[in-house]
Each structure stands twice: as C-alpha cells, then as structure tokens.
Amino acid sequence: MDNPIVITIPSHPKYLAVVRAAALLAAEICGLGAAEAEDIKHAVDEACSNVIKYAYKCDCTRKITVKFEDTQESFQVTIEDSGNKARLEDIKIRELDEVRPGGLGIHFIKKAFHIVAFDKKKRNGNRLLLTRYKNTDEAALSK
Amino acid sequence: MKIDTAEHSDYMVVSIAGEIDMYSSPALRDTMLSMVKKNVATVIVNLKDVKYIDSSGIATFVEALKKMLAYKGKLKMAQVPDRVMEIFNFSKLDKVFDIYGSLEDAAKS
C-alpha cells in the first residue's frame, strides 16, 4: 500500500462505520489475513469510540484523524484527537471473567495490536500508537 | 442496524440486522430495556444477520441479561454468526448467554 493512508472523520458515532471500512481494507492491503484484519477493524473502532467517549466527552463536533501505515515489519495505526488527555490506566477496563456492562474495548485493542501506547510527546490532545507486527517472532519480542 | 420484534405466546423474538456499534446500540438498548420494563419472561435475540458487534453492543446485552435475571427472566441468543461468536468467546460471554443454533431450539428449551 502507498504510505500512509490518512482519514479524518467528525467525532460523531455515525462515522465509525467509515473508519471500520478503511481499517479493514488497509489491513487486507498490507497483507494481513482475514481474521487479523477483522481484529484490526474492531480495535480501531473501539479506539475511536473511546476518543468520542473519553477525550471529547461525546462532543460530536470535533475531529478524529486515523493514519494507516504499512512497513516491512508491521502494520501501524495512529489515532489523533484534540480532546482531553487520556491515559491507558484511566480507561475503563474490566477483567474478562467479570461479567458487567462496559470495560471491554481495551481488550479488543490489545488483542489486535502488539503495542498500544499514547505518544507522550503530544502536548495537546492524544496520539494513540498501535502496532501489529507481521512476524510473530518480533511480536513475541515486543512482549 | 435494523431491529424487528415479534411477540409469541410465551416469548418474544428480537431480530437484529446490520452492525451494532456505538451509533446503533442506543436503539438496541431502548428495545431491550422496554422488554425488561414489561418483565418479558423470555427474550430470544436472533443475531443471524448481524455483521458486527462492538463492546457497546455487548454491554447492552449484558445489562439486559442482568436486569432480566433479577426477575428470573431468560435471555437467549440464537443463530449467532461465527465472527460474533468469536467475540462472545473472547469476552467469555459464551459461558454467560444461553446460545442456540436455531430459533426453534431456543424456543423449545
């Protein structure tokens, strides 16, 4: 895929379908398998939903920028917003064994990507960096 | 997403088609909670035509299940597509929901 692919959507949930479609196609184009591409689609959707909920507090008038990059080693997704600062540890999460509504999104993100991190250099807003290694040996090394 | 409800003598069927995400799940929540409010004894959710479900959709079903269990109601999932089943398995919800291969099996059990 010609690098990178960048899309910007309004922070309204009705545009999440656009991000899902782009994420699925970008993952497929860079050679990931069907199941992996579905996981990527799901993870990017959950991450953008988190931006709307946590960074923008459901303000639908803001912007979310999603960048997809294909390198020899990995498929990378960067999600940027200009909302409230988020920290992974502040995002609602629950143990998978604990059955209650909410708190699952981060599990789906971590299922699809080997590295999930916020760019601490970004001053205003958030830049979430997601990396999926193509080679499982590199993925194991990243753990 | 499209939601259809059908009333039977001793259960209700909620048939969902399309994608369940942060945008569409509030409508699903309204439907599920309206059944909870009426204390419907058995709700069968037909997921045959669901193409996608995110954590907000799962949260909607978990919330409905918990509220139904409070009055001893039953929430049954039927005709779950493979990809949705994978998500249920990963979330360990396959052990929480009663899951059936067909609407008939769900209705008979």
Side-chain angles (χ1 to χ4, degrees), chain A residues 74-125:
Chain A
S74 66
F75 176 67
Q76 295 174 3
V77 182
T78 306
I79 299 172
E80 286 199 58
D81 65 69
S82 57
N84 300 320
K85 273 284 176 205
R87 297 186 310 161
L88 278 177
E89 50 271 37
D90 293 338
I91 293 174
K92 197 165 63 169
I93 187 166
R94 70 159 166 88
E95 294 301 318
L96 287 169
D97 288 322
E98 182 191 353
V99 179
R100 64 169 172 78
L104 275 177
I106 196 75
H107 288 293
F108 291 118
I109 297 169
K110 288 184 171 176
K111 179 175 185 263
F113 291 97
H114 299 112
I115 298 178
V116 178
F118 281 108
D119 183 354
K120 290 178 181 165
K121 287 182 280 186
K122 185 167 170 72
R123 284 188 169 184
N124 299 311

Side-chain angles (χ1 to χ4, degrees), chain B residues 68-87:
Chain B
M68 290 184 73
L69 288 175
Y71 64 84
K72 296 192 168 34
K74 287 182 181 173
L75 180 61
K76 302 176 179 181
M77 302 290 172
Q79 305 192 101
V80 183
D82 289 348
R83 177 64 193 170
V84 176
M85 196 65 215
E86 276 176 38
I87 290 166

Side-chain angles (χ1 to χ4, degrees), chain A residues 12-14 16 20 38-39 41-42 45-46 49 52-53 96-97 99-102 104 107-108 111, chain B residues 19 21-23 51-56 58-59 62-63 65-66 83 86-87 90-93 96:
Chain A
H12 191 294
K14 69 183 175 186
L16 289 171
R20 288 199 296 274
E38 283 289 337
D39 285 346
K41 175 183 92 169
H42 193 163
D45 176 76
E46 296 284 356
S49 296
I52 296 170
K53 275 187 277 189
L96 287 169
D97 288 322
V99 179
R100 64 169 172 78
L104 275 177
H107 288 293
F108 291 118
K111 179 175 185 263
Chain B
E19 299 188 312
D21 65 0
M22 187 188 178
Y23 180 53
K51 308 295 179 205
Y52 175 75
I53 185 167
D54 77 345
S55 61
S56 70
I58 290 170
V62 171
E63 181 186 10
L65 175 68
K66 290 206 154 189
R83 177 64 193 170
E86 276 176 38
I87 290 166
F90 176 74
S91 314
K92 302 196 176 179
L93 294 173
V96 176

Side-chain angles (χ1 to χ4, degrees), chain B residues 29-76:
Chain B
R29 185 171 185 268
D30 287 348
T31 301
M32 298 304 295
L33 294 189
S34 73
M35 299 200 178
V36 168
K37 202 173 171 184
K38 290 183 220 161
N39 283 12
V40 174
T42 301
V43 176
I44 300 171
V45 180
N46 180 7
L47 294 167
K48 181 170 159 270
D49 295 320
V50 170
K51 308 295 179 205
Y52 175 75
I53 185 167
D54 77 345
S55 61
S56 70
I58 290 170
T60 300
F61 288 132
V62 171
E63 181 186 10
L65 175 68
K66 290 206 154 189
K67 288 181 191 295
M68 290 184 73
L69 288 175
Y71 64 84
K72 296 192 168 34
K74 287 182 181 173
L75 180 61
K76 302 176 179 181

Side-chain angles (χ1 to χ4, degrees), chain A residues 2 7 13 26 29 40 48 65 86 99 131 133 138:
Chain A
D2 291 333
I7 61 167
I29 288 168
I40 298 278
C48 290
T65 298
V99 179
T131 302
Y133 291 110
E138 283 186 65

